[in-house]
Amino acid sequence: MRLLRATIAFTLGIAVERALSTTPSALEIIIALAATGVVVATAIYARRHVVITLLLFLAVAGLVRAATAGDQHSVISWSDVPRNEERVELKGIMLTEPTPSNGRTRLRLHVDSTQLGDDGYSVDVYTERLHDLTESNRRSNDFRYGDTYSVSGRFVLTTGREDVAGIVSVSSVELIDSGAGSPIRSFISDLRATISYSVADSLDSTTGGLAAALLVGDRTKLAPETIDNFRASGLSHVLAISGLHIAMIGGIIMAISVWILGRQRQFYLVAPGLGVWIYAALAGFTPSVTRAAIMFTVYLFARLLGRQRSVLPPLALAGAIMLAIDPPILRSISFQLSFAAVMGIALLSAKFAGRGSDVIQTSPQVPALLKRPIIGIVYGMSVSLAATVATAPLVAFHFGEVPIWGIPSTLLIVPVLPLFIGGSVLVAVAGAISDHLIPIAGILSHGFGNYISFVADLFSGLPAGPVRADGWSTPLIVVWYGIVLLTLNRRVVRSWTLGVLEQVGSLNQTSPLAAGINQKLHRHRTYTVASIWIVAAVSLVGFVVSEPASNDLTVTFFETNRGDMIFIETPSGTRLLVDGGDDPELAVRNIESVLPPLDRRIDVVLSTHPDADHLGGLQRVVEQFEVGTIIDSGVPHDSNIYESWADFVRSKSNVSTASVGMIIALDQEVVLTVLQTQCVVVECSNFNDESVVARLDYRDVSFLLTGDITATAEFDLLQTGQPVHSTVLKVGHHGSRTSSTQAFLDAVAPALAIVTTGIKNQFGHPHEDVIERLNAQLSPENVFVTRDNGRLTVTTDGERLWVSSDR
């Protein structure tokens, strides 16, 4: 167990660094290493507390390794990147697997640099089909690793991302070559495509799409209604091959191998080892699948060496080695699921299977001839159950919500997944031999595939939607795993408790022996209480710094003294701040109220207007937070606040100016488009009409942010044909009577209106005429004013809206 303690210490060091808001400087790292070295040397010399100091050293080593690793993003050759909104013709190689996205397929292409020594850049292409095929055996939606494509379309520059430079959306792309990249990966990609089309063609559209997704990781053949049903029933994680699937497949093969070969010799470990790596190859050797295969292989080696009772140390060592190579994966969902799934199988599956097999062996109702096959099925189901128990809280945490029906639907589906995957393998093999064998081989896949689809469809139609997991998901994880650990060690806990009670009840408190034992018990209780407090503190820190992932977009309209301040966070965690209100201190407090402690990241800052009630707090925010990109309105103003801001941004290299048609891709599905920066058709009536007007889109929901525009700029927007129709309207100029004309409200046709104005607004905003028009258009319950409601947060999943307020 010394190995286990050492790896835990190293991992904690990495976790501490990942939780810090800023990376330690080189001087801080040197000082920490020097101080730790002195402590370790002193302890070794004095021969006291050596183990504790060595663990401290490993923890510091983990922190240093994480600090020196960085975030490891690819380097983009920005000199070659096209301008925003430029029509381009690009040629790029796809070195990743295609992924589905809202009815289209995303291809990440690597475009070579024209500059010697530069690496080029990556661009995401969203397309529907191939246009001109050079290979007759390709289908219109057959995209593969190593393909070279030619793309013609409008280039949209991404902001705040370092992995991809831009986005191009086209109806089709031209395949001009294939086989680039690694020959081995190209071979695997071709094999995966062949298997994927084989099972998809051999089975019906629903079952075939499921088979392609779960057998080779090809989700492009899933029907849209299948994806919707799995999402609604809390089963989205089942469709993506991960550590859960690897652990289940390996565990099932091992159970079958044990059933056939027995445990006398360790040949039964060969089949699961080969099976896991073959499955990883079919899944495309994605990083998550590869990590899971490595962990499962370590588990097999532990059993091979006769260390199955001590499987935790080698598995922990495997995880620590991966963290040493790539520290940022500690927060990776796939890494956590892989580790938890393999741990669950190692610790729980044998206990589940043992209890089930004992019941079957001793049951007089089960015929002797059927006991052995049923026990084999029990072993397989115990593997699935163990993996599900170990990963369930992580799935809930990272999805940001707990579907009401997610756990029962998962427990109904997961045990049959290996059988469905096995049946899909039979279909693929039968198809390679003879088409006449497919109907026979497909019986198993059809049966289990229809069952899986039935469960997903059944639970997606039940009442009561998912419960948001914000706030209580981390304590849930702690409680869940605490119960699991107590259950695993219940005999130890019971015997220790009984021993303590017997000693306390039987000993005379005045005898020397009793005094000595009581002293030991007191020391034991002290250690126990201290341990409880440490666990509670760690759990509290995890609760505070953890931020569960979500599929929702949140837009927060802050209450300010006067003015606008809007904070946007996308489902992937990209953050955009629009304006900063008038008060620098209040602006900082507002941002800190929505960000996790120790987190100072804001990806994009947009200044829509140089007036003090929009710009007053923005400079302080940019100074105190880590801002990726600044987009300025470009409108000058004669004020001290603006002059200070202009001098400040001139010293920055990450500043651009807003322009009509600028598209800021915040997320794969969240886009901010600049509609107006000044009047075009008519002459602006005043300075307010030069505000930046932008529209935020996420799936079927949109937000129109109108700055301080008046009726003149509203008329200009309508005359230029800008897409102002939106779900949510941020009412212009704080509800001034010079804005929000009836014609403009009719064109926007919002379902929700937000008026941003504060208690110190000296102009009496919002005007009663504007409120009357809004109430008549939307009804009063859909009109919100920050002066009255306080901070307003609008949350959407791209289809529905939820509004919460401070009062």
Side-chain angles (χ1 to χ4, degrees):
M1 295 305 241
R2 294 177 181 176
L3 178 61
L4 180 61
R5 289 195 293 266
T7 54
I8 290 175
F10 183 78
T11 304
L12 284 177
I14 292 178
V16 168
E17 195 282 333
R18 293 287 99 184
L20 294 176
S21 58
T22 57
T23 301
S25 64
L27 179 60
E28 291 171 333
I29 291 174
I30 293 173
I31 293 174
L33 285 175
T36 307
V38 170
V39 172
V40 173
T42 304
I44 293 175
Y45 178 77
R47 297 183 179 180
R48 298 186 64 184
H49 309 297
V50 176
V51 174
I52 295 177
T53 53
L54 288 177
L55 293 178
L56 171 65
F57 177 78
L58 287 172
V60 174
L63 187 147
V64 172
R65 174 64 189 105
T68 55
D71 289 329
Q72 300 183 0
H73 291 296
S74 59
V75 178
I76 296 177
S77 176
W78 290 105
S79 60
D80 290 317
V81 175
R83 295 188 302 273
N84 188 46
E85 298 293 316
E86 180 181 350
R87 297 289 302 183
V88 297
E89 291 187 4
L90 302 175
K91 184 175 74 172
I93 302 172
M94 188 170 72
L95 298 178
T96 59
E97 297 297 331
T99 55
S101 177
N102 291 331
R104 290 188 156 196
T105 302
R106 190 198 73 177
L107 315 175
R108 177 158 295 182
L109 305 184
H110 179 78
V111 180
D112 288 331
S113 171
T114 58
Q115 306 293 325
L116 185 64
D118 287 344
D119 294 330
Y121 59 94
S122 295
V123 58
D124 280 345
V125 177
Y126 292 86
T127 188
E128 297 172 0
R129 64 185 185 276
L130 292 171
H131 172 61
D132 186 15
L133 303 179
T134 59
E135 297 182 24
S136 58
N137 62 343
R138 286 291 187 98
R139 306 191 192 189
S140 62
N141 61 346
D142 190 359
F143 306 100
R144 302 185 186 181
Y145 167 89
D147 285 349
T148 302
Y149 298 107
S150 176
V151 182
S152 298
R154 188 182 65 173
F155 183 86
V156 178
L157 192 68
T158 56
T159 305
R161 296 179 61 181
E162 298 183 32
D163 56 340
V164 62
I167 296 173
V168 178
S169 295
V170 291
S171 59
S172 63
V173 297
E174 180 181 357
L175 174 65
I176 59 178
D177 199 4
S178 62
S182 167
I184 297 177
R185 286 200 62 182
S186 294
F187 170 78
I188 293 174
S189 179
D190 293 341
L191 178 62
R192 294 176 67 235
T194 301
I195 296 174
S196 177
Y197 278 106
S198 175
V199 296
D201 292 342
S202 302
L203 305 170
D204 59 72
S205 59
T206 301
T207 306
L210 282 174
L214 295 175
L215 182 58
V216 296
D218 182 6
R219 289 180 291 156
T220 61
K221 295 173 179 60
L222 287 168
E225 56 270 19
T226 300
I227 297 176
D228 293 339
N229 288 341
F230 272 71
R231 181 184 296 127
S233 57
L235 292 167
S236 297
H237 59 284
V238 174
L239 295 177
I241 296 179
S242 64
L244 173 65
H245 299 71
I246 288 288
M248 284 193 306
I249 293 297
I252 292 293
I253 296 175
M254 185 166 63
I256 296 174
S257 184
V258 169
W259 179 56
I260 296 174
L261 301 176
R263 298 175 183 269
Q264 286 75 17
R265 295 187 179 181
Q266 294 175 322
F267 291 119
Y268 73 92
L269 298 174
V270 175
L274 291 176
V276 158
W277 284 104
I278 291 173
Y279 188 51
L282 291 176
F285 280 125
T286 60
S288 61
V289 171
T290 304
R291 286 194 294 266
I294 292 173
M295 287 185 178
F296 195 84
T297 303
V298 171
Y299 166 62
L300 294 179
F301 270 111
R303 297 186 70 96
L304 179 65
L305 298 174
R307 302 282 295 176
Q308 55 266 47
R309 292 183 179 272
S310 303
V311 72
L312 287 177
L315 282 180
L317 178 61
I321 292 174
M322 294 179 189
L323 289 174
I325 296 173
D326 186 16
I329 68 168
L330 182 62
R331 289 185 176 179
S332 167
I333 302 174
S334 60
F335 174 79
Q336 296 173 14
L337 287 176
S338 302
F339 195 84
V342 177
M343 281 288 191
I345 291 176
L347 297 176
L348 301 175
S349 63
K351 295 182 179 294
F352 294 159
R355 287 180 175 271
S357 62
D358 289 343
V359 172
I360 294 170
Q361 288 283 14
T362 57
S363 175
Q365 285 79 21
V366 179
L369 186 63
L370 297 178
K371 287 186 177 181
R372 187 175 178 86
I374 293 177
I375 289 174
I377 295 174
V378 168
Y379 268 88
M381 295 186 66
S382 68
V383 171
S384 299
L385 181 60
T388 302
V389 169
T391 57
L394 294 175
V395 171
F397 177 80
H398 286 293
F399 273 78
E401 57 185 22
V402 178
I404 293 295
W405 308 113
I407 292 178
S409 61
T410 299
L411 289 175
L412 287 174
I413 280 182
V414 167
V416 305
L417 280 181
L419 300 175
F420 174 68
I421 294 171
S424 302
V425 172
L426 292 178
V427 171
V429 173
I433 298 173
S434 172
D435 292 341
H436 299 292
L437 298 176
I438 291 177
I440 301 174
I443 294 176
L444 192 64
S445 291
H446 268 297
F448 286 114
N450 290 336
Y451 167 76
I452 292 172
S453 299
F454 168 75
V455 172
D457 183 54
L458 173 66
F459 282 93
S460 67
L462 292 178
V467 176
R468 295 188 59 82
D470 301 327
W472 54 269
S473 56
T474 301
L476 174 64
I477 292 176
V478 174
V479 172
W480 184 285
Y481 288 125
I483 293 174
V484 171
L485 289 175
L486 288 175
T487 303
L488 288 174
N489 297 279
R490 61 186 182 278
R491 292 183 179 178
V492 176
V493 174
R494 185 186 304 160
S495 62
W496 179 84
T497 304
L498 290 175
V500 171
L501 292 176
E502 289 176 359
Q503 291 179 7
V504 172
S506 61
L507 291 176
N508 186 345
Q509 302 295 323
T510 59
S511 67
L513 179 59
I517 293 178
N518 285 333
Q519 186 178 1
K520 291 182 179 180
L521 288 174
H522 177 73
R523 186 163 56 246
H524 200 154
R525 284 195 296 270
T526 302
Y527 291 156
T528 302
V529 172
S531 301
I532 292 173
W533 277 106
I534 292 172
V535 171
V538 171
S539 301
L540 180 61
V541 171
F543 178 87
V544 172
V545 305
S546 298
E547 183 181 9
S550 172
N551 292 322
D552 295 337
L553 170 75
T554 59
V555 181
T556 303
F557 299 86
F558 289 109
E559 180 183 18
T560 63
N561 293 329
R562 57 190 182 93
D564 281 4
M565 186 175 183
I566 305 167
F567 183 80
I568 299 163
E569 186 160 11
T570 71
S572 68
T574 303
R575 297 164 181 163
L576 165 66
L577 175 65
V578 181
D579 293 332
D582 64 314
D583 186 338
E585 298 298 332
L586 180 58
V588 171
R589 291 199 302 271
N590 281 338
I591 294 297
E592 289 177 341
S593 69
V594 294
L595 292 185
L598 311 178
D599 193 341
R600 314 290 288 182
R601 173 180 59 84
I602 302 175
D603 299 290
V604 184
V605 166
L606 171 62
S607 171
T608 68
H609 196 42
D611 262 354
D613 60 344
H614 294 252
L615 193 61
L618 207 54
Q619 182 171 338
R620 181 71 60 83
V621 170
V622 175
E623 289 173 343
Q624 295 193 9
F625 291 82
E626 301 171 3
V627 175
T629 301
I630 301 172
I631 302 176
D632 187 40
S633 65
V635 179
H637 188 38
D638 184 18
S639 70
N640 292 333
I641 291 176
Y642 174 76
E643 292 298 331
S644 175
W645 170 257
D647 292 339
F648 176 73
V649 297
R650 271 194 292 268
S651 64
K652 300 291 184 180
S653 60
N654 58 339
V655 180
S656 60
T657 302
S659 59
V660 176
M662 175 183 283
I663 298 178
I664 306 166
L666 300 172
D667 204 332
Q668 291 186 8
E669 297 181 281
V670 181
V671 175
L672 183 78
T673 305
V674 177
L675 304 182
Q676 186 184 67
T677 56
Q678 58 183 358
C679 299
V680 177
V681 177
V682 298
E683 183 178 354
C684 290
S685 60
N686 57 48
F687 173 65
N688 291 324
D689 288 331
E690 298 184 38
S691 295
V692 174
V693 179
R695 175 173 143 153
L696 181 73
D697 289 278
Y698 176 44
R699 296 178 181 170
D700 298 332
V701 174
S702 54
F703 295 74
L704 186 64
L705 310 178
T706 56
D708 271 0
I709 65 170
T710 66
T712 302
E714 292 176 356
F715 177 77
D716 194 84
L717 274 170
L718 300 182
Q719 291 299 306
T720 54
Q722 294 291 352
V724 297
H725 182 81
S726 300
T727 315
V728 180
L729 170 65
K730 200 289 294 184
V731 176
H733 201 197
H734 320 294
S736 166
R737 65 179 177 180
T738 60
S739 302
S740 304
T741 62
Q742 189 61 52
F744 186 68
L745 292 179
D746 291 340
V748 178
L752 195 70
I754 308 291
V755 182
T756 53
T757 183
I759 57 176
K760 295 184 179 180
N761 184 283
Q762 66 268 40
F763 301 104
H765 296 154
H767 196 274
E768 59 184 10
D769 292 344
V770 174
I771 295 297
E772 287 181 4
R773 285 198 293 272
L774 291 172
N775 287 339
Q777 181 93 8
L778 287 78
S779 75
E781 61 268 17
N782 293 323
V783 179
F784 296 87
V785 182
T786 56
R787 181 196 61 192
D788 303 326
N789 302 108
R791 182 173 72 183
L792 293 163
T793 301
V794 181
T795 305
T796 175
D797 60 0
E799 298 176 359
R800 300 163 295 174
L801 291 173
W802 299 270
V803 182
S804 61
S805 62
D806 284 349
R807 54 181 181 269

